[in-house]
Amino acid sequence: MELIDLNRDGGIGANSFFLKIGGLNLLLDCGLNPKKVGRLATPDWAPLRGEKLDLIIITHCHLDHIGSLPVVMRGYPGVPVLMTTSSAMLVGRMLHNSANVMLRQKEQDNIPDYPLFTHEEIDQCVKRFVGLQFGAPRRFRSGKDEITLTFHYAGHVAGATGVEIRHQDRAIFFTGDVMFDDQRTQAGAEFPPGKFDTLVMETTRGATPRTEGKTRAAEMARLVDTINRTIERGGSYLIPVFALGRMQEIMTIIHDARRFRRLVECPIFASGLGMDLVDYFDEISRKTKHIQFSRSLIKEMKVRPLPRQLKAGEDPGQNALYVVSSGMLVERTPSYTLASGLLGKERNAIGFVGYCDPDTPGGQLLKTPHGEKFEFAAAHVRTKVMAEVDRFELSGHADREELARFAVETGARSIVLTHGDPAARAWFMEQLAIRLPGAKVLDPVPLQRYEV
Ligand SMILES: [Zn+2]
Ligand SMILES: [Zn+2]
């Protein structure tokens, strides 16, 4: 197989792989880099020039995997776009939200490239999506050659899949983003036990050692305790979350705590997209066995939408719990604006529950010691870190030990690392050299062609 990593910036970035397997050319994922703007946020498709494309495959509906999909589809009008049936329900909704964000950014930040695609274009794209079931092999032909493709349930978020590709006697497996443990609303991955020749694996948590005693249940209890303490001292609690998956997971944890009278009474606010996606998750939950979520809990907890006009640098003083996107406090999102108002007051607290890129405001805040100055540049706010800032191990990505174990079980002779910061990839590089001494481990240089 020939492979080119099209994610021009490395790291997690804008995920996209170009693959040549036998006579077939495939594109796996078409993401957008959340840290970049305009055309530079997309993968670099230069190596595709002059090449035909037979299939586009989408592993799951997070923007770092689908954010530039309509741009690619525009260039390949006849090519089928394969994803799981759950992803086929969610991708369109995520892209429409992304188009709205780009339209807003175009005005606020004067970015002429935006929007990269229109709402009308997304509606056309959605019609081309082919939804596949987990565990059902499908054959695809080009000329005389054919490959067999099978999706394997990956946990992580609704619809996420690992991808098995077989060509002649070769077997290749892509983990996509994966979570092996059960989460509150989502069962852990069900990856095939078989052997593979080539493994392409995510490495998100490679730099995060497993901390003893920090079980998921213990972390959930600790989160609820800190919320209670904050509300009881008159403060407000902000949980920055990704609208897709994380928000529904956290809402369910909070609902459990309230049901068992472990959570104090307080108003709960949530932001737009996450609330909207609640309906999608409810529907997916009824159609698949892997997701357990009910939209009725939103009503039961009387969750309210955020006030429209949040003022940067101002504590709304509502003595409330906010479950608000973005998860990494990206500039100009509701969580960013809220944090700029809450951070300067000792009574408040902010609790991160997912991955925070070190270069995002969320990542920066986690590195800033208590009592020091923190700048919300896009909101023109500078404030001392007086609120409690905490992080909880409730990630939707696999623990590095579990991933390394999976890699060893596949017995792969070549392993390609993806979706991780340099330190995270370095850990896997070192560990796999020890644990799988016969294997060739590759940390691909973006845009370089490899035979694997
Ligand atoms: Zn993801
Ligand atoms: Zn991802």
Side-chain angles (χ1 to χ4, degrees), residues 56 73-74 76-81 124-130:
I56 298 172
M73 288 177 69
R74 192 186 299 153
Y76 297 92
V79 177
V81 182
Q124 293 308 311
C125 285
V126 170
K127 292 181 191 158
R128 283 170 54 193
F129 293 170
V130 182

Side-chain angles (χ1 to χ4, degrees), residues 156 175-179 200-205 396-398 403 416-420 428:
H156 183 62
T175 63
D177 289 9
V178 53
M179 175 60 168
V200 183
M201 64 186 287
E202 72 127 310
T203 59
T204 317
R205 302 189 70 208
H397 286 275
L403 255 176
V416 182
L417 306 178
T418 178
H419 203 281
F428 278 102

Side-chain angles (χ1 to χ4, degrees), residues 83-277:
M83 60 186 74
T84 64
T85 44
S86 298
S87 287
M89 290 168 65
L90 291 163
V91 169
R93 181 64 189 84
M94 293 301 285
L95 290 173
H96 278 298
N97 185 68
S98 180
N100 285 337
V101 172
M102 286 192 276
L103 283 165
R104 226 171 28 233
Q105 282 179 317
K106 183 190 185 70
E107 271 185 26
Q108 285 172 350
D109 304 335
N110 189 24
I111 305 168
D113 293 348
Y114 279 172
L116 293 176
F117 41 82
T118 63
H119 290 297
E120 294 73 40
E121 210 172 2
I122 299 165
D123 290 335
Q124 293 308 311
C125 285
V126 170
K127 292 181 191 158
R128 283 170 54 193
F129 293 170
V130 182
L132 304 185
Q133 303 285 345
F134 290 117
R138 284 277 287 263
R139 275 195 218 153
F140 294 92
R141 294 187 71 84
S142 173
K144 284 194 189 116
D145 220 352
E146 72 170 26
I147 58 168
T148 308
L149 200 135
T150 314
F151 283 168
H152 296 277
Y153 173 73
H156 183 62
V157 76
T161 187
V163 181
E164 175 183 350
I165 302 173
R166 288 186 181 265
H167 173 250
Q168 295 170 354
D169 56 351
R170 296 253 306 157
I172 303 150
F173 192 75
F174 290 81
T175 63
D177 289 9
V178 53
M179 175 60 168
F180 290 108
D181 293 341
D182 289 346
Q183 304 178 62
R184 172 61 185 83
T185 50
Q186 172 138 28
E190 291 164 13
F191 275 179
K195 297 282 176 204
F196 292 100
D197 300 295
T198 301
L199 173 69
V200 183
M201 64 186 287
E202 72 127 310
T203 59
T204 317
R205 302 189 70 208
T208 316
R210 174 169 273 193
T211 352
E212 286 308 318
K214 279 199 176 176
T215 61
R216 242 183 144 74
E219 285 294 271
M220 287 193 259
R222 193 166 70 84
L223 174 66
V224 173
D225 286 348
T226 28
I227 297 171
N228 287 341
R229 265 206 325 269
T230 309
I231 299 297
E232 276 165 353
R233 67 174 177 243
S236 291
Y237 200 99
L238 165 64
I239 308 178
V241 288
F242 290 105
L244 180 85
R246 253 11 2 229
M247 190 249 184
Q248 295 76 20
E249 169 87 5
I250 294 296
M251 280 299 183
T252 308
I253 292 170
I254 289 164
H255 183 254
D256 289 346
R258 185 148 280 179
R259 207 153 49 106
F260 295 108
R261 299 185 194 289
R262 277 192 252 112
L263 186 78
V264 294
E265 277 304 316
C266 66
I268 301 172
F269 292 90
S271 55
L273 178 61
M275 292 280 266
D276 195 8
L277 288 167

Side-chain angles (χ1 to χ4, degrees), residues 15 60 64-65 177 419:
N15 291 284
H60 68 289
D64 57 321
H65 301 261
D177 289 9
H419 203 281

